[in-house]
Amino acid sequence: MTDHARRPTGWQLEQNASEAYERYLVPPMFAPWADQLVETSGISDGDRVLDVGCGTGIVARRAAPRVGTSGRVVGLDVNDGMLAVAEETATDSQPQIEWRRGDATDLPLPDEEFDAVCAQQSIQFVDDPTAAVEEIRRVLTPTGILTLSVWRPLEYHPAYAVLAEALERHVGDEAGTMMRSPFPDWNATDVRTLVLDAGFDDVSITVEIGSIRYPSVEAFVRREAASSPLSEPIAAVDRATRDDLLRDVEDEMRQYVDDDGIVSPMESYVVTATR
Ligand SMILES: C[S@@+](CC[C@H](N)C(=O)[O-])C[C@H]1O[C@@H](n2cnc3c(N)ncnc32)[C@H](O)[C@@H]1O
């Protein structure tokens, strides 16, 4: 069989997951949550802000106009692909955002450098979240503020629960685990303990309830697949298996279909803490 014959024709995956993330997931999902996170953080004129696990940089981009040209915004991520898209997307930002490659558990930044640190949906991906929150505390000024968000467990995100189970059935355990990874099994006490153990005081946690919309179940599955490491295991299965996956998700998602496509709740812990 030639390479061409082996390649499924019905469902092409994007080549670049970071570009797909910025195109498909940031506008409907991460941008509205970033607006809310930056509002909650109280970032203002002249502040020095660090966005940890910045991805393609939506929080940093939203913070920049708030700090103005007397402020400073740094976006840090471990993934070069995400940082490349962040840089391309923010060329006109004022002040110019500084993009840094680095690990949240070992921040390549001096002590007490930032008035505010934001971490939107990134801490759950870090191998040692406690070390990351300790590092965040180290780089904050003595009056600095941490604002971080972490999705609630998978059961609070019905569309993703359906997709994770369908991926397990049709693609494999690894794909199911990938889909579950953004939604750690942490309750509010676990999140509070994480932040307190890192040395923060005055920890406040709210549960925020939002939603995600897609024009169709097919768009949901395709876009999620394209925008994450899921693209690899999904690319490895044949076209018939992908079609079965899609049919399965369509069946399970029927109760979330409306005239505009599909809608599913999404819930997040939003944490603020002072150093
Ligand atoms: C779901 S994305 C969120 C990105 C961004 N905060 C947003 O709201 O769009 C999670 C990000 O965390 C980053 N990340 C994972 N582990 C990391 C680590 N140890 N240090 C820094 N960034 C990390 C990933 O590379 C990814 O860009």
Side-chain angles (χ1 to χ4, degrees):
M1 196 191 290
T2 64
D3 275 345
H4 177 74
R6 223 180 268 127
R7 206 177 301 140
T9 52
W11 184 359
Q12 298 296 326
L13 290 167
E14 314 272 331
Q15 291 306 302
N16 185 320
S18 304
E19 284 173 6
Y21 178 95
E22 176 61 27
R23 185 177 322 126
Y24 296 136
L25 298 189
V26 170
M29 186 192 298
F30 291 100
W33 286 97
D35 287 334
Q36 196 178 353
L37 192 86
V38 168
E39 179 72 33
T40 302
S41 73
I43 292 167
S44 61
D45 203 36
D47 280 348
R48 294 157 300 165
V49 177
L50 172 66
D51 178 8
V52 171
C54 63
T56 56
I58 186 61
V59 170
R61 295 201 304 268
R62 293 298 200 257
R66 285 180 166 256
V67 305
T69 47
S70 61
R72 178 184 179 206
V73 180
V74 177
L76 176 137
D77 203 283
V78 79
N79 183 308
D80 288 326
M82 292 295 228
L83 287 171
V85 175
E87 199 158 2
E88 277 164 27
T89 311
T91 44
D92 294 337
S93 176
Q94 285 298 328
Q96 242 183 0
I97 300 168
E98 301 162 43
W99 303 107
R100 296 287 297 267
R101 189 184 186 287
D103 194 308
T105 61
D106 186 18
L107 293 173
L109 295 161
D111 295 356
E112 302 190 5
E113 185 86 344
F114 295 95
D115 304 296
V117 176
C118 296
Q120 172 164 276
Q121 307 302 343
S122 54
I123 288 298
Q124 64 266 53
F125 296 99
V126 171
D127 288 341
D128 185 348
T130 304
V133 182
E134 282 171 355
E135 273 293 87
I136 287 172
R137 186 169 180 277
R138 178 183 67 75
V139 302
L140 276 169
T141 62
T143 54
I145 293 181
L146 161 68
T147 315
L148 95 84
S149 61
V150 181
W151 299 126
R152 298 189 81 201
L154 192 62
E155 67 204 83
Y156 298 97
H157 309 261
Y160 292 92
V162 165
L163 183 54
E165 280 168 25
L167 284 165
E168 253 151 28
R169 276 195 294 277
H170 297 286
V171 180
D173 288 345
E174 192 197 354
T177 302
M178 277 183 194
M179 192 65 261
R180 290 171 192 278
S181 65
F183 311 103
D185 221 359
W186 296 346
N187 62 29
T189 304
D190 297 328
V191 176
R192 191 183 303 279
T193 303
L194 169 68
V195 177
L196 286 173
D197 282 357
F200 280 93
D201 298 319
D202 296 331
V203 179
S204 155
I205 301 183
T206 58
V207 170
E208 301 291 340
I209 303 178
S211 62
I212 182 72
R213 279 195 168 277
Y214 284 101
S216 64
V217 169
E218 185 178 351
F220 165 55
V221 177
R222 276 168 174 265
R223 291 177 189 187
E224 281 296 333
S227 311
S228 72
L230 277 171
S231 51
E232 271 189 38
I234 291 181
V237 299
D238 59 21
R239 183 181 178 179
T241 306
R242 290 183 196 183
D243 289 345
D244 289 345
L245 167 72
L246 199 57
R247 263 194 298 276
D248 219 355
V249 179
E250 272 167 352
D251 282 350
E252 296 289 330
M253 285 291 296
R254 268 192 308 249
Q255 70 274 36
Y256 292 104
V257 173
D258 66 11
D259 289 348
D260 289 331
I262 60 160
V263 61
S264 171
M266 294 198 79
E267 300 193 15
S268 183
Y269 299 112
V270 176
V271 183
T272 53
T274 50
R275 208 195 124 165

